[in-house]
Amino acid sequence: MQDTILITGGAGFIGSNFILQLLGRGSSSIINLDKLTYAGNLRNLQTVTREPRYEFVHGDIADRALVRDLFERRQPRAVVHFAAESHVDRSIRGPDDFLRTNVDGTFALLEEARAYWAELPEPDKSNFRFLHVSTDEVYGSLGPTDPAFSETTAYAPNSPYAASKAASDHFVRAYHHTYGLPAVTTNCSNNYGRFQFPEKLIPLMILNARDGKPLPVYGDGQNVRDWLYVEDHCEAIAAVLARGKSGETYNIGGCNEQRNIDIVQTICDIVDEVAGRAAAPRRSLITFVKDRPGHDRRYAMNASKIQRELGWHPRETFVSGLRKTVRWYLENEDWVRDVTSGAYRDWIATHYAP
Ligand code: NAD
Ligand code: DAU
């Protein structure tokens, strides 16, 4: 069997970082199946467009004929499934696409993967992997002194986004349990780094701080997230793909809990330093706005299983990762201009309307 990996959603934030890392380090060939929603951007992958080991296919994971054709034509040894609607605020304003892609789309992909896998000869059949990329949000919200989420924490999704990811996790689990599909699921905490669409906290704050615009902090700004540099997440996924045990789930996190307000203040200070002081320190742009409905208070991941069993550890510190990220957004004006055009402006105008 050829060393080919089918990646879904590879034009998005984490998927494109994963593809660049994999092509840079390994010898695998990659098929990137992406619908190119507002969050997908081929500019992220322009350095590998001519790479013979890389093929881009524009399409929907829910298009079963297309997915079937890809399996038959390219005979992948694994699927790494990133494709999703990923923004919590959008899921609150309009959950339909979240059901369509995250639940129906994952189901379609699982069905086609199962049909393909069932016909594989050994040892390809046992070696096949369906790696489902999921989130810590499926576990719900923690109180200030609760222990971090572990792989055995009960699911308690609170937003339509989290509910759709939880549903997809359950389907993956069921396909392993019922049909024996060699599946693994990763549940990761908040990522940050280059190529993240600036609807999410960190890039939104960097660009607004650069432009002297208000920095909208939801509620009291005391919500806590566990932040992980995107390249560390990609390395964790590669470790699970290489050595993860079929049927297992692995929690991934940075062991790096931060309050939103602290992150926004730090971003202001870094932008002041890198872009030069504006008339007033950028911290003065911080504006507390109406809270996100159902806003989860705290996430924290216990990543001891992947550390112990697969030897993965995050490399980047939050201080250095955040500085790199701020610099990247300030230095990549073309990328920023590309993604902050019409549809982006409409989202910002609607979502942050007073
Ligand atoms: P993203 O929104 O940046 O990218 C999603 C990609 O999926 C885009 O390229 C989009 O075009 C593509 N896509 C959407 N619907 C599709 C469809 N129907 N068919 C094919 N492609 C489709 O998302 P991200 O932040 O890179 O997240 C990737 C995955 O990781 C998601 O499954 C998400 O739930 C999970 N995750 C994200 C984070 C995070 O902090 N961003 C943390 C943990 C887990
Ligand atoms: O935890 C993993 C999840 O992290 C992923 O599964 C999701 O795909 C990803 O979007 C992210 O979800 P969050 O809701 O945690 O990320 P977001 O960047 O949207 O928000 C981070 C925190 O910042 C959250 O507490 C809400 C707050 N926030 C966000 C925005 C966009 C603000 O205060 N103001 C804002 O304008």
Side-chain angles (χ1 to χ4, degrees):
M1 175 176 259
Q2 288 202 332
D3 183 15
T4 300
I5 300 173
L6 171 58
I7 291 176
T8 71
F13 164 46
I14 305 172
S16 56
N17 276 289
F18 182 75
I19 288 175
L20 294 176
Q21 200 178 85
L22 204 67
L23 286 173
R25 289 184 189 173
S27 55
S28 305
S29 293
I30 285 170
I31 317 154
N32 173 15
L33 170 61
D34 198 297
K35 188 177 169 183
L36 297 182
T37 67
Y38 77 93
N41 185 359
L42 287 179
R43 188 185 263 271
N44 302 354
L45 294 159
Q46 64 189 3
T47 55
V48 296
T49 313
R50 289 196 176 77
E51 162 65 56
R53 288 186 290 134
Y54 171 74
E55 180 190 0
F56 173 68
V57 177
H58 186 196
D60 192 327
I61 53 167
D63 180 344
R64 289 186 53 174
L66 171 68
V67 173
R68 190 173 314 144
D69 175 67
L70 283 179
F71 275 117
E72 281 167 10
R73 183 167 62 80
R74 296 295 309 269
Q75 303 273 304
R77 71 162 170 92
V79 175
V80 182
H81 177 32
F82 292 98
E85 289 294 334
S86 69
H87 191 35
V88 173
D89 293 323
R90 287 186 190 253
S91 83
I92 294 167
R93 287 184 177 270
D96 306 48
D97 284 345
F98 289 74
L99 246 81
R100 210 169 292 126
T101 285
N102 301 2
V103 186
D104 290 347
T106 300
F107 167 73
L109 194 63
L110 279 167
E111 273 293 88
E112 291 308 322
R114 176 166 78 94
Y116 163 73
W117 163 80
E119 300 301 321
L120 286 176
E122 288 294 356
D124 297 343
K125 192 169 182 179
S126 304
N127 291 338
F128 183 79
R129 284 292 180 277
F130 185 102
L131 193 160
H132 175 58
V133 179
S134 192
T135 171
D136 58 1
E137 302 206 10
V138 299
Y139 298 122
S141 185
L142 293 168
T145 57
D146 288 341
F149 301 128
S150 77
E151 287 81 359
T152 55
T153 302
Y155 273 32
N158 286 324
S159 70
Y161 163 70
S164 69
K165 292 297 290 188
S168 66
D169 293 9
H170 289 327
F171 271 101
V172 172
R173 176 189 158 87
Y175 271 58
H176 172 75
H177 189 79
T178 305
Y179 305 114
L181 183 74
V184 276
T185 296
T186 56
N187 294 88
C188 187
S189 62
N190 286 63
N191 284 213
Y192 68 100
R194 67 176 173 173
F195 304 146
Q196 186 167 35
F197 194 75
E199 63 189 352
K200 308 279 167 63
L201 180 76
I202 288 183
L204 178 83
M205 295 298 166
I206 296 171
L207 297 180
N208 281 13
R210 180 197 69 174
D211 297 341
K213 293 182 180 162
L215 306 176
V217 174
Y218 297 161
D220 62 5
Q222 303 293 316
N223 303 67
V224 170
R225 298 290 183 265
D226 175 354
W227 292 92
L228 180 69
Y229 193 57
V230 64
E231 292 191 20
D232 281 324
H233 185 193
C234 293
E235 284 182 2
I237 292 171
V240 173
L241 187 61
R243 304 186 294 284
K245 215 168 132 227
S246 168
E248 293 290 315
T249 66
Y250 296 89
N251 281 1
I252 304 167
C255 215
N256 171 43
E257 292 184 51
Q258 304 281 343
R259 294 183 312 167
N260 293 341
I261 186 65
D262 296 331
I263 292 189
V264 176
Q265 287 176 344
T266 308
I267 288 173
C268 289
D269 298 346
I270 302 175
V271 175
D272 276 348
E273 183 196 315
V274 176
R277 251 299 177 48
R282 285 178 171 83
R283 285 183 180 218
S284 63
L285 299 169
I286 293 174
T287 312
F288 290 93
V289 299
K290 196 162 142 291
D291 208 354
R292 172 185 279 175
H295 197 175
D296 284 338
R297 194 63 173 168
R298 174 177 165 240
Y299 302 146
M301 280 304 232
N302 177 341
S304 57
K305 177 177 173 181
I306 187 171
Q307 295 183 353
R308 191 178 59 247
E309 294 185 10
L310 306 184
W312 169 86
H313 293 273
R315 293 171 198 262
E316 195 73 54
T317 67
F318 190 58
V319 175
S320 62
L322 193 59
R323 290 188 82 81
K324 273 191 202 174
T325 305
V326 172
R327 280 193 177 278
W328 189 86
Y329 280 91
L330 298 182
E331 285 167 4
N332 284 275
E333 180 52 35
D334 289 353
W335 187 94
V336 170
R337 205 177 312 112
D338 229 37
V339 302
T340 52
S341 58
Y344 176 76
R345 283 203 295 273
D346 294 345
W347 164 254
I348 297 292
T350 314
H351 185 61
Y352 295 100

